[in-house]
Amino acid sequence: MNTVKNSNHFEAHSLSGKTLPFIFHLNNRTRTQGSMPYLHWHPNTEFLYITSGEGIVLIGNNEYAVSEGDIITVNSNLIHSMYTNTVMEYFCLIPDVDFCTSNDIDTENLVFDTLIKDESAFALYSNVITAFLTGGKFRNASIRSAVLNLLLYLAEKHSEAADGAKKTDVNEDIKLAVGYMKSHFHERLTLDELSCEVGLSKYYFVRKFKSCIGCTPIEYINRLRCERAKKLLAKDREIGEISELCGFDNFSYFSKTFKTITGTTPSQYRKSLS
């Protein structure tokens, strides 16, 4: 049986020991028909700041509608993704857990509020953005100070001590299923096989997967297959061969599924690339 950390959706952040032990970047998310939200998780807490647009953030079994000015916290090891039906721009800040604990902010034993609407928090996050985007002799010190001020404020005003129920991630089996599908989508997969892989009854697995991910396991597998097919359609391969390589039983089912998910047939998609 695969382990969660073998999944391509687990992100291991090697930040400890760096001068700036943070991941920080600006992302732009746009709606693309048929594209899949990137489901992933990591041990470090993530703080998102929506600068324009609106969308949905999926965290565990919950959906959060977000828009400009919102701060979203993804607590450690929670499966999550985000999508938009228009365009959304946001900053992503992931401080290393060792940086937090070395400053007496024990993120492993804190649960931060998920959706934060607080002008003071906005201002502190804006200071982080300014520090990262500004040069100068003391840039690194300014960044570390700005991040620490934000973390301290959020820890004091928007977190609580974690009890066992709140820190326990109930979706370890769903993480395992997602990772297994990612690695084996090109094979013939059945619900019996998937439910056995994660140790759940078939019917409970389907209900739990749909509740957490927003679609059935088969729909998710087909989206993975179509994502792969789009990459292969950009290359000089026969469409029938692509169907087989992506795990579809026959060409007719591939063509029908691809059109349902992407809004176009495989041949039409290939023509659009030229």
Side-chain angles (χ1 to χ4, degrees), residues 38-221:
Y38 174 55
L39 296 167
H40 62 290
W41 55 91
H42 37 73
N44 294 316
T45 303
E46 181 174 6
F47 302 94
L48 306 173
Y49 179 42
I50 313 301
T51 58
S52 66
E54 58 186 21
I56 299 292
V57 178
L58 305 172
I59 303 176
N61 297 326
N62 301 306
E63 289 191 357
Y64 300 89
V66 297
S67 57
E68 182 177 343
D70 289 345
I71 292 176
I72 287 284
T73 305
V74 182
N75 286 288
S76 63
N77 288 314
L78 293 180
I79 190 169
H80 59 282
S81 66
M82 65 192 327
Y83 65 90
T84 178
N85 288 322
T86 54
V87 178
M88 181 170 63
E89 191 173 74
Y90 60 95
F91 280 98
C92 168
L93 170 67
I94 304 178
D96 183 66
V97 65
D98 288 343
F99 173 83
C100 298
T101 54
S102 67
N103 286 285
D104 297 324
I105 301 174
D106 187 1
T107 53
E108 293 187 334
N109 289 299
L110 289 175
V111 175
F112 290 90
D113 295 342
T114 302
L115 180 57
I116 298 172
K117 297 177 180 286
D118 178 332
E119 291 296 333
S120 295
F122 302 159
L124 288 168
Y125 205 122
S126 296
N127 290 342
V128 171
I129 297 170
T130 299
F132 269 98
L133 299 181
T134 302
K137 181 178 179 181
F138 302 107
R139 177 177 180 271
N140 288 352
S142 295
I143 291 172
R144 294 172 71 91
S145 175
V147 171
L148 183 56
N149 285 336
L150 173 63
L151 291 173
L152 178 60
Y153 181 83
L154 295 178
E156 289 181 335
K157 303 295 184 181
H158 293 282
S159 78
E160 58 183 310
D163 57 33
K166 288 184 177 178
K167 277 311 264 194
T168 300
D169 185 356
V170 298
N171 292 315
E172 290 297 325
D173 41 19
I174 300 303
K175 291 179 183 177
L176 180 59
V178 168
Y180 189 81
M181 292 177 190
K182 178 77 173 181
S183 299
H184 298 273
F185 69 87
H186 55 284
E187 303 171 8
R188 186 177 183 275
L189 294 177
T190 66
L191 289 176
D192 287 326
E193 179 183 352
L194 291 170
S195 58
C196 180
E197 182 71 21
V198 299
L200 299 175
S201 73
K202 179 168 65 175
Y203 300 105
Y204 179 66
F205 167 63
V206 172
R207 289 198 305 271
K208 186 173 183 181
F209 190 95
K210 187 171 184 179
S211 173
C212 180
I213 305 303
C215 64
T216 68
I218 298 303
E219 289 170 338
Y220 186 77
I221 292 168

